[in-house]
Amino acid sequence: MRILGREDVAAALAGLDATVLDAVRAAYVLHGQGSSEVPFSGFLRPPGNSGSRVISLPAYLGGPEPVMGLKWISSFPANVERGLQRASSVQILNDLDTGYPTAVLEASQISASRTAASAALAGRALHGDRPVTTLGLIGCGTINRRVLDFLALVHPELVTVTLQDAVPGRAETLAAQLSAERPALTFIAGGLDDALRADTVSVATTDSTYWLDLAAHPDRPGHQVILHLSLRDLSTASVLNAYNVVDDIDHVLREQTSLHRAEQETGHRRFVDAEIAGVLSRSEAPVTDKTIVFSPFGLGILDLAVARAVLEAATRLGIGSEAEGFDPGRHHVTAAMAGGTA
């Protein structure tokens, strides 16, 4: 079995963003064509540890290079206060003929990359031909940092990025770091109103209180796209007044997401306007005067697609190691069971 640790995955991902975008796009299209199996995610919540959870995402992705496996990802928000990453993840890939595990990858970087790539693909598709020169990042953690990487790739016309975070000083610190890394862009640490004036806004926080009411911020631009990545920030009213695009309607309307709460309040799902696979396949932006909100639940097929790309890159580069003993071995039939004699 191939083992790729944190540093192996980081080395394989270096310079791979365009490949990751293509892999995520292809996975969405295959899902829209029915060439996937995505059981509902399982949630494990430690007793007495409010807000923490570990999620299992089994999936199968078809197409010319089918792949099958499981992502096991934890989210412990209190880690941030300890100076630790909020999320950790492991990705397992299985052989399609035997079911045996063939690879294990440290997957926090894979998870962040696939989330960010899916957001950038959606943002580009939902804006259509309209230029995006301003970006607002609400939440200054790992996810939005990767969102910037991919949005800058699909929107080379980007000029200004406004950062906002509930933790004092965090936006200023990240703005300074990003200014040094990307001198061609202007980074501003601002308030919520500032961030919400951007053409595209990515919301990736650890909040789950449905605190963001878009109607309370009337100075937002027309044709705005909001990437609602953390799924539990928007108020029900904000959802019901938006043009809503999701990755999979059955997946996203559960586990008390903002859209799930909207369904519970209204008793229907008619406020969901499209799935992203259809938007990508049509290659044209929706025609609407409403704010467009993309709410991806996060499908395990994306992790499979990116993990496969990482594994292929690692193999080319000679990265990683092989471990024995992760299969059950050969089936040994005794003479008696085989019908023979001693």
Side-chain angles (χ1 to χ4, degrees):
M1 183 170 66
R2 194 73 173 169
I3 306 290
L4 296 183
R6 179 184 65 247
E7 300 304 325
D8 300 324
V9 172
L13 274 171
L16 208 65
D17 285 357
T19 299
V20 169
L21 276 172
D22 290 341
V24 170
R25 177 188 290 274
Y28 272 146
V29 172
L30 286 168
H31 183 63
Q33 295 170 347
S35 297
S36 64
E37 294 289 339
V38 190
F40 283 140
S41 307
F43 283 69
L44 175 64
R45 294 181 172 86
N49 199 342
S50 177
S52 297
R53 60 190 183 271
V54 190
I55 311 171
S56 62
L57 290 87
Y60 163 83
L61 180 63
E65 297 180 82
V67 60
M68 176 173 65
L70 171 76
K71 172 173 140 179
W72 182 241
I73 182 168
S74 72
S75 174
F76 278 53
N79 281 354
V80 177
E81 300 171 7
R82 306 184 187 113
L84 302 173
Q85 290 283 349
R86 173 187 60 83
S88 63
S89 183
V90 173
Q91 179 74 46
I92 301 172
L93 301 181
N94 294 82
D95 183 86
L96 286 164
D97 293 323
T98 66
Y100 292 177
T102 58
V104 173
L105 302 88
E106 193 284 322
S108 63
Q109 299 164 88
I110 292 171
S111 184
S113 296
R114 65 83 147 146
T115 299
S118 72
L121 282 171
R124 172 72 278 177
L126 294 171
H127 271 294
D129 294 331
R130 291 188 295 269
V132 172
T133 60
T134 56
L135 169 64
L137 299 179
I138 298 176
C140 293
T142 300
I143 296 298
N144 263 345
R145 186 160 187 162
R146 285 297 276 152
V147 167
L148 171 63
D149 292 336
F150 285 96
L151 280 173
L153 188 60
V154 301
H155 290 298
E157 72 275 18
L158 189 63
V159 175
T160 304
V161 181
T162 301
L163 300 93
Q164 187 273 341
D165 197 281
V167 178
R170 198 173 186 200
E172 289 80 1
T173 298
L174 183 57
Q177 294 173 351
L178 294 174
S179 294
E181 295 173 10
R182 295 179 176 271
L185 296 178
T186 298
F187 293 92
I188 302 169
L192 185 61
D193 278 326
D194 302 316
L196 284 170
R197 292 191 187 101
D199 299 322
T200 294
V201 179
S202 177
V203 186
T205 80
T206 57
D207 204 321
S208 296
T209 62
Y210 318 97
W211 60 279
L212 182 51
D213 182 4
L214 295 178
H217 305 274
D219 294 334
R220 295 178 296 107
H223 303 294
Q224 185 181 55
V225 173
I226 293 183
L227 308 171
H228 184 210
L229 305 184
S230 37
L231 291 175
R232 298 169 183 84
D233 289 285
L234 292 184
S235 66
T236 300
S238 297
V239 170
L240 295 177
N241 289 321
Y243 185 98
N244 290 289
V245 181
V246 302
D247 53 358
D248 186 290
I249 190 169
D250 291 325
H251 284 261
V252 80
L253 268 71
R254 55 191 296 264
E255 294 295 333
Q256 294 301 308
T257 64
S258 294
L259 282 82
H260 187 198
R261 286 168 66 93
E263 180 190 33
Q264 292 171 327
E265 182 175 310
T266 62
H268 64 77
R269 298 179 167 190
R270 293 191 296 274
F271 55 86
V272 178
D273 298 282
E275 291 186 340
I276 191 61
V279 177
L280 292 172
S281 296
R282 290 192 299 270
S283 299
E284 59 185 33
V287 178
T288 178
D289 292 329
K290 296 181 178 180
T291 295
I292 300 176
V293 173
F294 176 56
S295 299
F297 194 76
L299 303 178
I301 55 170
L302 306 186
D303 300 278
L304 290 178
V306 176
R308 179 175 58 195
V310 167
L311 188 60
E312 290 173 354
T315 300
R316 290 195 303 270
L317 297 169
I319 295 171
S321 59
E322 295 289 337
E324 301 293 334
F326 282 88
D327 62 83
R330 291 285 180 178
H331 179 56
H332 299 289
V333 182
T334 64
M337 290 174 63
T341 58

